[in-house]
Amino acid sequence: MSIIFFTAPQSTATLTDLIFAELGTPHDRKVVDLKGDKSELLKVNPNGKVPVIVHDGVAIAESAAITMYLGEQFGVEKKLWPAAGPKRGQAMMWVTWTNVTLGDAVYRRGRASGQWGPDFPKDDHAMTVATKDIGHLLGILDKQLEGKHYVLGADYSLVDAHMTSFLDWLRYSKVDFTPFTHITEWAARCTARPAYKQVMAAMAH
Ligand SMILES: N[C@@H](CCC(=O)N[C@@H](CS)C(=O)NCC(=O)O)C(=O)O
C-alpha cells in the first residue's frame, strides 16, 4: 500500500495533515512550492491545487473528498468514521457543508477583504454580507453542537478534525466566535487533542 500526499505549508492541505495525524496512516509527503514549479502537482491534479493524495497510483483531490475517503478506508476500524449507513451519511453531510455551504461565505469574505491580490479589490458591502452569512451558518453549527460533545454526538470523528481545521482560518481572519458558546467549548476539546497539537507544532517549524 502506498500513499503520496501533496501538501504545502499553511494551505488547505493542513486540514488533510490533521486527518492523517488522527488516523496515523503511513504516507509519503511531497511538499509543493505553490509559487514555484508545479509540474509534479499538475500531473496528479490538473487544477494545480493541494491537497492531493495518490493512493496506490490513483489521485484524489479536494479536501472534503480526501477526508471522506481516508475515513472510509482507514477510519472505521479506528472509530473515527462511521460504518456505511445513515450515520456516515451525516458525516458526509457535515464535511460537505463545511467546504461548500460555509466555504462559500468564507471565500466570499476572503475575496472581499482586499487581501487576495489585485484581482479582488476590497469590497466593504460584500464583506459585510459575507460576515453576516458566516454568523448565520456558525449559529447553525452551534445549535448542532448543543448537548453534544462532538458534531456527530458523543464521540470525536474526522468530521470534527475537518471542521476544526477549517474554522482555524476564520479565527485567523478575526471572526468573532464569542457568541457561539457550544462551538467555543467544542473547539477547546478538539484543539486539546495530541494530533492537533502535533500538526500545529510541525507548522510552527
Ligand atoms: N477546493 C479545494 C481547494 C484547494 C485550494 O484552494 N488549495 C490552494 C491552497 S489553500 C492551492 O493549492 N492553491 C494553489 C494555486 O492556486 O496556485 C480543496 O478543498 O481541496
Side-chain angles (χ1 to χ4, degrees), residues 148-179:
K148 293 192 191 72
H149 259 61
Y150 296 107
V151 176
L152 297 182
D155 298 320
Y156 182 86
S157 75
L158 297 183
V159 174
D160 302 288
H162 189 99
M163 271 190 183
T164 303
S165 194
F166 196 95
L167 291 185
D168 275 345
W169 304 341
L170 289 182
R171 287 191 199 91
Y172 295 141
S173 53
K174 308 260 184 294
V175 168
D176 181 16
F177 276 85
T178 43

Side-chain angles (χ1 to χ4, degrees), residues 102 104-105 108 128-138:
L102 181 61
D104 168 63
R108 276 192 281 123
T128 306
V129 174
T131 304
K132 182 172 75 59
D133 291 347
I134 290 170
H136 172 69
L137 292 166
L138 291 180

Side-chain angles (χ1 to χ4, degrees), residues 94 97-98 100-106 108 130-144 167 170 180 183:
W94 282 110
W97 180 88
T98 305
V100 177
T101 305
L102 181 61
D104 168 63
V106 170
R108 276 192 281 123
T131 304
K132 182 172 75 59
D133 291 347
I134 290 170
H136 172 69
L137 292 166
L138 291 180
I140 290 171
L141 176 60
D142 201 60
K143 187 109 185 76
Q144 169 68 12
L167 291 185
L170 289 182
F180 308 109
I183 293 181

Side-chain angles (χ1 to χ4, degrees), residues 11-12 34 38 48-51 62-64 99:
S11 71
T12 314
L34 293 174
K38 296 210 300 187
K49 292 189 192 297
V50 295
E62 293 294 335
S63 58
N99 280 43

